[in-house]
Amino acid sequence: RCLANARHLRAALAAHGHPIAGDADGHIVPILLGDATRTMAVGAALRARGFAVGAIRPPTVPHGSSRLRVSVSAAHIPAQLDAFVAALVD
């Protein structure tokens, strides 16, 4: 169920044109945003809306590859994942 949820999130993100860093098929979904300042702002906005999401920037990752780090679990339901994507798009 965990991997099915992660695949659901990846598909929903792809449908909205959000690139995923790497091509792994695990429960961690790294959403590539590129710019560190933008990544930190988007991460803060999502946390303010109740989503637990990490914002990763240099020096943890190379410059230009800042990303959101989303951990998907078996406890998530598709509606929660879709709400996250809607908040990200917003």
Side-chain angles (χ1 to χ4, degrees):
R1 181 174 163 107
C2 180
L3 290 178
N5 283 342
R7 289 178 189 125
H8 176 92
L9 179 58
R10 282 184 177 85
L13 290 165
H16 288 282
H18 285 286
I20 305 301
D23 58 359
D25 189 31
H27 74 286
I28 304 296
V29 180
I31 305 167
L32 187 61
L33 296 180
D35 179 72
T37 302
R38 176 176 176 236
T39 299
M40 299 309 290
V42 171
L46 288 167
R47 284 188 298 279
R49 292 178 75 169
F51 297 100
V53 59
I56 312 300
R57 63 183 172 175
T60 306
V61 295
H63 288 278
S65 67
S66 294
R67 63 202 65 195
L68 299 175
R69 183 183 188 272
V70 180
S71 296
V72 179
S73 79
H76 287 112
I77 61 172
Q80 291 170 314
L81 301 171
D82 293 338
F84 172 78
V85 173
L88 180 62
V89 170
D90 193 29

